[in-house]
Amino acid sequence: RHTRLPSDWSSDVCSSDLFDFRWWGGVRFPVVTAPYALLGDPAAVVTAQAVVGAVAWAVAVLVAARLVPAAVPRIGVVVLGCGLGLTPPVTSWDRTLLSESFAISLTVLLVATLLHFACRPGRAAAVAVVVAGAGWGLSRPNQSLLLVVGAGILAGLGSVRSHRRWAWPAAGVLAAVALVGIALAASTSQVQEYNSGQIVVRRILGDDARTAWFRARGMPGNGPALLVPPYDNVFGDPAVELQRDPRFGPWLRGDFPSAYLRYLATHPGYTVGLPFGAEGAWGAALGGTSGYGNARAVLPAGVPTVLWPDASGSQRLLVGLGAVVLVAAAVGAVRSPGRRRALAGAGGVLVV
């Protein structure tokens, strides 16, 4: 089921269109806007998202399987990789009209191409990394910044003589693409302002100590009152209420970014732990996009729970198992140059 948005859906937030699906220069990045410009119909866009996701996961599974020498473990890698790509926390994004679908699929593809290049460097592998990295960096604003990290990983792989011929040129191309993405992201403040409102709603006003810290640095005191529904915006979104408020909005746009940066710098525990806590991306990553919509289950009952557990204890067990495998790989990598390259690629993937 697909719902068309009213033509004035975003006019309640800002003067220009938040969902400006032009080829270039809109608030959304070109990798996301291009399917809308080419296909137009939401059902066709969802189909394109599913196709890109299927291709990305298939490539990732094939790359991982080629790195396993024995036949039986290789089959296990294929089964587990395909199963993981079919779990609802992954497929639910592909059935939703959001930029996350292409971003997640291209993340999987970038991980696969980086790992392939680390183990089997060459022109084709370098081109694959550049194509996947450019698409990934131009799908969401924050990823254009992270693409600088990806370029640094490639440059580091260039310190190995066998990788140097292709790694450094590929790193230069990705760095150039990252600069284009950063320039696009800096050309509008709409997404930044909305995300600032979300940070205040989700991470500050619900915590007394943080609220007091920001109040001491100029935050208006009417924030908690603005979070009480009903909201005077078509989204029903409290973050939009903060943006539109004549007292809170100017502080949010002017003083909040520097104040939040100071808070991150002076509270390292919060900064380091945020991505893995309930306030960060960890919960959304584990649960998928159930807040927007749900995907139809295609795996037998119980299989998604094993591959993508919901219980926190099972999740910790899975993370612990992954850590043990990584340590074992690091110990074994000392004995083989090929394994050292594989571990270097895996380390770069973890950094991204």
Side-chain angles (χ1 to χ4, degrees):
R1 181 181 299 175
H2 308 284
T3 302
R4 293 184 179 275
L5 300 175
S7 59
D8 61 345
W9 193 72
S10 63
S11 61
D12 196 47
V13 179
C14 53
S15 58
S16 60
D17 194 359
L18 183 63
F19 291 87
D20 187 356
F21 293 129
R22 292 176 293 172
W23 271 93
W24 197 265
V27 176
R28 300 294 178 178
F29 267 31
V31 170
V32 175
T33 60
Y36 288 87
L38 286 171
L39 303 175
D41 180 57
V45 174
V46 168
T47 301
Q49 292 178 168
V51 170
V52 172
V55 170
W57 280 96
V59 170
V61 168
L62 289 175
V63 168
R66 290 184 64 187
L67 300 179
V68 179
V72 174
R74 188 183 302 127
I75 294 174
V77 168
V78 172
V79 172
L80 291 176
C82 291
L84 183 63
L86 292 173
T87 54
V90 175
T91 58
S92 59
W93 293 105
D94 295 332
R95 291 172 55 87
T96 309
L97 291 172
L98 293 169
S99 61
E100 281 82 353
S101 174
F102 289 116
I104 291 171
S105 297
L106 290 170
T107 300
V108 173
L109 192 61
L110 179 59
V111 166
T113 55
L114 274 173
L115 191 57
H116 176 66
F117 180 81
C119 299
R120 294 181 172 88
R123 180 173 59 183
V127 170
V129 171
V130 168
V131 172
W136 183 74
L138 294 179
S139 60
R140 288 174 64 85
N142 53 339
Q143 289 174 194
S144 62
L145 294 171
L146 288 173
L147 190 59
V148 177
V149 178
I153 292 171
L154 272 180
L157 287 175
S159 62
V160 181
R161 182 174 299 178
S162 60
H163 292 65
R164 188 170 303 159
R165 180 181 179 186
W166 303 110
W168 287 352
V173 173
L174 290 185
V177 173
L179 291 177
V180 172
I182 293 171
L184 280 174
S187 66
T188 175
S189 62
Q190 294 174 22
V191 175
Q192 175 189 331
E193 291 173 8
Y194 178 73
N195 288 341
S196 296
Q198 288 287 345
I199 291 173
V200 173
V201 170
R202 298 182 183 185
R203 303 171 187 170
I204 296 176
L205 293 181
D207 185 277
D208 292 339
R210 296 174 197 165
T211 299
W213 192 94
F214 281 92
R215 285 280 291 121
R217 286 153 183 83
M219 184 176 74
N222 63 330
L226 295 173
L227 303 188
V228 179
Y231 306 119
D232 189 23
N233 64 81
V234 70
F235 302 99
D237 191 333
V240 177
E241 291 294 294
L242 298 183
Q243 286 181 272
R244 296 179 56 187
D245 184 75
R247 287 180 58 196
F248 210 100
W251 178 83
L252 189 70
R253 290 184 287 272
D255 298 334
F256 172 74
S258 59
Y260 190 58
L261 185 61
R262 288 198 302 273
Y263 187 85
L264 294 176
T266 56
H267 297 75
Y270 168 86
T271 304
V272 174
L274 178 63
F276 308 102
E279 298 172 304
W282 185 248
L286 295 175
T289 182
S290 57
Y292 294 100
N294 294 310
R296 182 175 63 254
V298 297
L299 297 174
V303 174
T305 302
V306 173
L307 295 174
W308 201 300
D310 294 328
S312 58
S314 301
Q315 293 161 2
R316 294 190 187 97
L317 179 63
L318 199 62
V319 171
L321 179 61
V324 170
V325 171
L326 186 61
V327 171
V331 173
V334 178
R335 305 176 182 177
S336 167
R339 290 178 181 176
R340 286 198 293 270
R341 289 197 298 268
L343 187 65
V349 166
L350 288 176
V351 170
V352 173

